[in-house]
């Protein structure tokens, strides 16, 4: 809650600073057919986890603790302005993520119960961007769309599985996302702080080998990444 309050306070402070100057910066900025930019972001990633219940005897059942982690994001933006209030944009980027799953089962040695899941996602999202009317040098916006995500650390084709300490996930994934924020016009550039939710659609888990125990991947029915990202964009 403190982090959310800090983010909101920062947004309000930046907006108030932008409103001190009444001169309309970058007039006609959206008259250009094409624009480009880049973004930097910090995100919190975890899993939407669907465990399999009722496996084996009570001693063989596995309960799973899901702990999220912070990630860093960086990317480029390219956009086509359809009107003064609508554009279509593509925002290819990279997300560097670490999460932790803890498999609680008496048959798993304590040293093997915690699994650090490291992922590097190459993402190519396509978004439709709706802007409100300008109020001096700011304007609100919302955006929605979907994207393709390639997990460069998926281990999908690895022969080893969790028995050998290799957690495997799908390489090719798809998501939907929604975003909201404000565009702030300065004299020489536009800055856009925003908050975005990213939700993977497909099941990312790769089953362990048939000869392996069902303590790890065998106890998961569905595993889907999700994230809340705070970013700052520059155009």
């Amino acid at each position: 809650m403190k982090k959310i309050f800090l983010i909101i306070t920062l947004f309000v402070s930046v907006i108030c600073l932008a409103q001190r100057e009444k001169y309309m910066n970058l007039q006609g900025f959206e008259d250009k057919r094409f624009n480009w930019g880049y973004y930097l972001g910090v995100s919190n990633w975890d899993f939407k986890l669907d465990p399999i219940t009722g496996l084996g005897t009570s001693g063989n059942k596995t309960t799973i603790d899901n702990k999220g982690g912070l990630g860093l994001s960086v990317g480029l933006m390219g956009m086509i302005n359809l009107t003064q209030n609508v554009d279509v944009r593509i925002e290819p980027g990279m997300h560097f993520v670490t999460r932790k799953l803890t498999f609680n089962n008496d048959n798993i040695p304590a040293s093997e119960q915690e699994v650090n899941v490291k992922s590097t996602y190459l993402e190519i999202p396509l978004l439709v961007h709706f802007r409100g009317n300008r109020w001096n040098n700011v304007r609100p916006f919302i955006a929605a769309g979907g994207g393709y995500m390639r997990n460069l650390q998926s281990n999908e084709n690895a022969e080893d599985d969790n028995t050998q300490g290799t957690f495997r996930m799908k390489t090719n994934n798809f998501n939907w996302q929604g975003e909201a924020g404000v565009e702030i016009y300065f004299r020489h550039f536009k800055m856009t702080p925003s908050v975005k939710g990213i939700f993977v659609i497909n099941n990312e888990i790769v089953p362990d080998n048939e000869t392996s125990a069902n303590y790890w991947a065998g106890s998961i029915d569905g595993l889907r990444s999700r994230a809340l990202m705070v970013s700052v964009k520059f155009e």
Side-chain angles (χ1 to χ4, degrees), residues 44-55:
N44 185 71
W45 291 75
D46 69 353
F47 291 114
K48 182 181 184 299
L49 184 64
D50 299 319
I52 295 177
T53 59
L55 287 175

Side-chain angles (χ1 to χ4, degrees), residues 28-44:
F29 189 80
E30 276 74 34
D31 291 338
K32 294 184 294 183
R33 184 65 170 172
F34 301 99
N35 283 324
W36 67 275
Y38 64 93
Y39 69 86
L40 303 171
V42 177
S43 50
N44 185 71

Side-chain angles (χ1 to χ4, degrees), residues 12-70:
V12 172
S13 299
V14 173
I15 294 172
C16 291
L17 179 63
Q19 292 309 303
R20 292 177 62 185
E21 177 60 69
K22 298 300 183 181
Y23 176 78
M24 295 282 284
N25 296 321
L26 298 179
Q27 297 184 51
F29 189 80
E30 276 74 34
D31 291 338
K32 294 184 294 183
R33 184 65 170 172
F34 301 99
N35 283 324
W36 67 275
Y38 64 93
Y39 69 86
L40 303 171
V42 177
S43 50
N44 185 71
W45 291 75
D46 69 353
F47 291 114
K48 182 181 184 299
L49 184 64
D50 299 319
I52 295 177
T53 59
L55 287 175
T57 64
S58 59
N60 288 332
K61 290 181 181 178
T62 301
T63 60
I64 308 170
D65 296 329
N66 173 22
K67 184 177 181 180
L70 291 179

Side-chain angles (χ1 to χ4, degrees), residues 8-234:
I8 293 174
T9 302
L10 178 61
F11 278 19
V12 172
S13 299
V14 173
I15 294 172
C16 291
L17 179 63
Q19 292 309 303
R20 292 177 62 185
E21 177 60 69
K22 298 300 183 181
Y23 176 78
M24 295 282 284
N25 296 321
L26 298 179
Q27 297 184 51
F29 189 80
E30 276 74 34
D31 291 338
K32 294 184 294 183
R33 184 65 170 172
F34 301 99
N35 283 324
W36 67 275
Y38 64 93
Y39 69 86
L40 303 171
V42 177
S43 50
N44 185 71
W45 291 75
D46 69 353
F47 291 114
K48 182 181 184 299
L49 184 64
D50 299 319
I52 295 177
T53 59
L55 287 175
T57 64
S58 59
N60 288 332
K61 290 181 181 178
T62 301
T63 60
I64 308 170
D65 296 329
N66 173 22
K67 184 177 181 180
L70 291 179
L72 297 177
S73 303
V74 60
L76 301 174
M77 303 184 300
M79 63 231 37
I80 302 176
N81 290 312
L82 303 180
T83 70
Q84 287 286 327
N85 298 90
V86 181
D87 70 56
V88 176
R89 57 181 59 200
I90 186 170
E91 299 183 351
M94 301 285 290
H95 306 290
F96 304 93
V97 186
T98 299
R99 293 156 287 187
K100 183 168 71 175
L101 294 174
T102 302
F103 296 86
N104 302 299
N105 188 302
D106 292 338
N107 294 312
I108 306 176
S111 61
E112 299 177 10
Q113 289 185 356
E114 291 188 356
V115 177
N116 289 316
V117 183
K118 296 183 178 180
S119 302
T120 300
Y121 290 111
L122 170 63
E123 185 191 23
I124 305 176
L126 184 65
L127 303 170
V128 181
H129 189 268
F130 303 93
R131 305 184 192 90
N133 294 325
R134 282 185 66 161
W135 177 48
N136 293 332
N137 286 314
V138 302
R139 66 195 306 177
F141 81 90
I142 58 172
Y148 165 75
M149 294 172 61
R150 184 174 181 85
N151 188 350
L152 303 181
Q153 293 181 282
S154 65
N155 297 316
E156 180 176 7
N157 297 318
E159 294 183 1
D160 292 342
D161 61 10
N162 283 289
T163 306
Q164 292 80 32
T166 301
F167 190 82
R168 302 185 298 191
M169 297 173 64
K170 297 287 182 63
T171 300
N172 300 301
N173 306 282
F174 300 90
N175 67 50
W176 69 270
Q177 49 192 270
E179 185 177 13
V182 291
E183 298 179 330
I184 304 172
Y185 295 79
F186 293 93
R187 290 188 182 277
H188 303 292
F189 65 93
K190 182 170 71 172
M191 183 178 74
T192 305
S194 68
V195 178
K196 176 190 287 188
I198 303 173
F199 306 91
V200 171
I201 299 170
N202 60 282
N203 188 358
E204 294 180 78
I205 192 68
V206 173
D208 286 334
N209 299 325
E210 293 182 359
T211 56
S212 297
N214 59 8
Y215 307 144
W216 294 279
S219 64
I220 299 175
D221 186 43
L223 191 74
R224 294 169 176 84
S225 296
R226 56 189 179 183
L228 181 66
M229 184 173 76
V230 177
S231 66
V232 180
K233 305 178 181 182
F234 298 92

